[in-house]
Amino acid sequence: MSKNVVLGVSGGIACYKALDIVSRLKKKGINVYVIMTQSATEFVAPLSFQSLSQNYVVVDMFEDPKTWEVEHISLAEKADVFVIAPATANVIGKIANGIADDMLTTTVMATKAPVLIAPAMNTNMYENKIVQRNIEFLRSIGYHFVEPESGRLACGAVGKGKLAEPEKIVEYIEMLLYKEKDLTGKNILITAGPTREDIDPVRFITNRSTGKMGYAIARAARDRGANVTLITGPTNINPPSFIDIVNVYSAEDMYRAVSERFDSCDVLVMSAAVADYRPKDRSDIKIKKSDDDLKIELTRNKDILFEIKDRKTHQVVIGFAAETNDVLENAQKKIKKKNLDFIVANDVSQKDSGFGTDTNTIKIIDKFGNIKDYPNMSKDDVAHTILDLLVK
Ligand code: CTP
């Protein structure tokens, strides 16, 4: 059943960014109901929110109800998550002090859903002790906050107060919408993306991995309550918010990053496409062309999973096997050789599976030889499928 988010929009220049939040939530199949304060309507017309949310936008408490439900009570009950973005100092102050004098503050007072507040205001206002006291008080009684960012504000000042990026706010909403926190307290280490092996200062060897699969697992584990550390090679996609990110470059860097953190993790998911070889000699200066052929000698990188296999105590270790042929046989060999609990195998020669795609067709093989076949799924669904098996 699709989820319901009630989005309260209060008056500030960042109101236009709330349109992007609505659009991102709708694309994820989430119903959005917008409540605007009167001053928010001075910045963006309710019609814009209505067109994007495809729901009637509520502003005034005393207009004729559009349905025979009492509007503020109905929306308060409908909400799976209640978000206020942008939230002005005024709205935060009212909520913290129990003032309910318009549709937004009345509805938020009546809801039992988790409330997420994304403040946006001038830096001096944000740093004002009264505003900070109100935020601290609301946090202490369970309200969630996405902190504003620093930058150039609409008033010309430079400092903290910019509304957090819509993408980040939506990620927090998804975290609150996911109710099964079955990985709470678990430390999950995930690797993702390719590695780069330098030939000289301007050239390197890499592979086609984009990091999408590993990032999806990191987001899914975070939404299920885990403490996630994502060790990522260079990618062109935005890393998930609200997790620890460790950026690495080469296979050697990735080995060190995993090795340092392995003993304290409960689960290691190696979805990175680690280069097996690197150029034997990295030239410090750019290699110049000549009329002859050029030979680059390669030497083996450490196999990270193989290196740490004897340090396994309580950890569950999950490997990936990207194959173009003999998928099952190759995957089974890797489980044994690398002492894995299970391996996720995919045929990267198929066009809707593997590098750069948004979907994957996988088989999961465990150390007892059980094989599970799955249909083509989005990488987000693949991520949850892997975690379901892990939890079991
Ligand atoms: N892996 C690793 N260290 C490496 C290479 C791979 O830990 N130097 C991990 C990958 O992250 C993956 C698993 O090992 O979880 C299998 O990777 P894959 O590249 O498919 O297999 P390889 O063992 O490298 O074998 P081959 O390249 O011959 O298929």
Side-chain angles (χ1 to χ4, degrees):
M1 221 179 63
S2 57
K3 306 273 185 178
N4 299 318
V5 167
V6 175
L7 173 65
V9 182
S10 60
I13 186 64
C15 276
Y16 76 95
K17 289 193 185 168
L19 293 169
D20 192 18
I21 298 175
V22 179
S23 147
R24 285 170 186 270
L25 290 170
K26 287 295 286 182
K27 280 187 193 139
K28 290 176 184 285
I30 297 167
N31 296 323
V32 188
Y33 300 89
V34 177
I35 304 174
M36 299 177 79
T37 62
Q38 202 70 54
S39 47
T41 64
E42 300 288 330
F43 290 92
V44 177
L47 184 60
S48 304
F49 283 103
Q50 187 171 311
S51 311
L52 284 173
S53 69
Q54 293 163 323
N55 280 315
Y56 180 72
V57 174
V58 189
V59 181
D60 190 351
M61 285 224 328
F62 300 107
E63 66 187 33
D64 286 343
K66 294 291 170 282
T67 62
W68 285 109
E69 299 164 9
V70 181
E71 203 105 52
H72 69 281
I73 301 299
S74 124
L75 284 180
E77 283 174 357
K78 213 175 251 173
D80 291 302
V81 170
F82 201 113
V83 191
I84 306 176
T88 56
N90 182 46
V91 132
I92 295 170
K94 282 191 200 173
I95 298 170
N97 290 285
I99 297 168
D101 64 351
D102 60 9
M103 198 59 175
L104 174 53
T105 47
T106 318
T107 316
V108 79
M109 192 179 271
T111 194
K112 293 216 155 127
V115 178
L116 174 64
I117 298 178
M121 64 196 77
N122 159 274
T123 309
N124 292 344
M125 287 172 82
Y126 185 67
E127 286 171 354
N128 179 294
K129 288 200 172 109
I130 300 169
V131 173
Q132 285 303 317
R133 181 201 61 192
N134 289 337
I135 291 176
E136 265 161 46
F137 168 67
L138 288 172
R139 268 191 211 277
S140 75
I141 57 166
Y143 284 69
H144 300 263
F145 280 82
V146 191
E147 288 209 5
E149 286 165 18
S150 296
R152 193 184 169 282
L153 308 179
C155 56
V158 177
K160 197 164 182 179
K162 264 171 69 149
L163 183 71
E165 283 305 317
E167 189 178 2
K168 192 168 178 185
I169 297 171
V170 169
E171 282 198 72
Y172 206 127
I173 295 171
E174 288 188 287
M175 230 155 69
L176 293 174
L177 284 173
Y178 206 91
K179 303 287 181 210
E180 288 147 55
K181 303 290 181 195
D182 48 8
L183 290 172
T184 300
K186 297 289 175 204
N187 296 323
I188 303 200
L189 194 55
I190 299 163
T191 67
T195 60
R196 286 183 185 170
E197 311 303 322
D198 281 351
I199 298 170
D200 69 8
V202 295
R203 306 176 179 97
F204 53 78
I205 298 173
T206 189
N207 58 61
R208 293 183 195 279
S209 170
T210 57
K212 281 185 183 172
M213 189 65 250
Y215 284 26
I217 299 170
R219 272 195 306 272
R222 174 202 67 195
D223 291 352
R224 293 167 82 141
N227 308 317
V228 178
T229 303
L230 175 68
I231 300 175
T232 173
T235 69
N236 290 318
I237 56 174
N238 285 342
S241 301
F242 315 111
I243 63 169
D244 288 331
I245 308 273
V246 181
N247 288 298
V248 296
Y249 186 81
S250 64
E252 187 59 33
D253 296 340
M254 190 170 277
Y255 166 71
R256 273 198 300 274
V258 172
S259 184
E260 278 165 19
R261 293 166 180 81
F262 182 68
D263 297 333
S264 57
C265 80
D266 299 300
V267 181
L268 168 65
V269 185
M270 276 293 299
S271 54
V274 189
D276 291 318
Y277 296 90
R278 67 175 182 280
K280 195 164 184 183
D281 301 303
R282 176 194 186 275
S283 170
D284 288 336
I285 52 169
K286 188 180 163 194
I287 299 172
K288 289 308 223 184
K289 64 178 164 297
S290 71
D291 292 336
D292 298 329
D293 289 347
L294 175 70
K295 283 205 176 69
I296 298 171
E297 199 178 341
L298 301 177
T299 184
R300 275 296 307 265
N301 278 329
K302 285 196 181 98
D303 187 310
I304 302 174
L305 284 174
F306 186 78
E307 293 291 326
I308 52 141
K309 76 177 189 344
D310 296 328
R311 283 168 52 191
K312 228 172 126 175
T313 51
H314 63 291
Q315 294 88 347
V316 176
V317 179
I318 303 172
F320 270 72
E323 307 290 348
T324 54
N325 54 285
D326 304 324
V327 178
L328 270 183
E329 296 83 290
N330 285 329
Q332 273 157 335
K333 275 189 214 148
K334 285 175 191 175
I335 290 198
K336 285 212 175 69
K337 191 170 160 217
K338 305 189 187 202
N339 189 19
L340 305 176
D341 292 282
F342 45 94
I343 197 158
V344 182
N346 62 344
D347 184 342
V348 288
S349 62
Q350 289 175 23
K351 76 171 191 323
D352 55 359
S353 186
F355 297 134
T357 59
D358 289 318
T359 58
N360 226 344
T361 311
I362 56 156
K363 294 180 200 299
I364 300 183
I365 305 139
D366 68 20
K367 60 181 172 191
F368 307 109
N370 301 312
I371 301 166
K372 283 202 166 81
D373 263 299
Y374 296 90
N376 188 261
M377 289 186 274
S378 72
K379 285 188 172 170
D380 289 337
D381 288 341
V382 170
H384 279 292
T385 303
I386 296 168
L387 296 178
D388 285 344
L389 219 62
L390 172 73
V391 169
K392 261 194 209 158

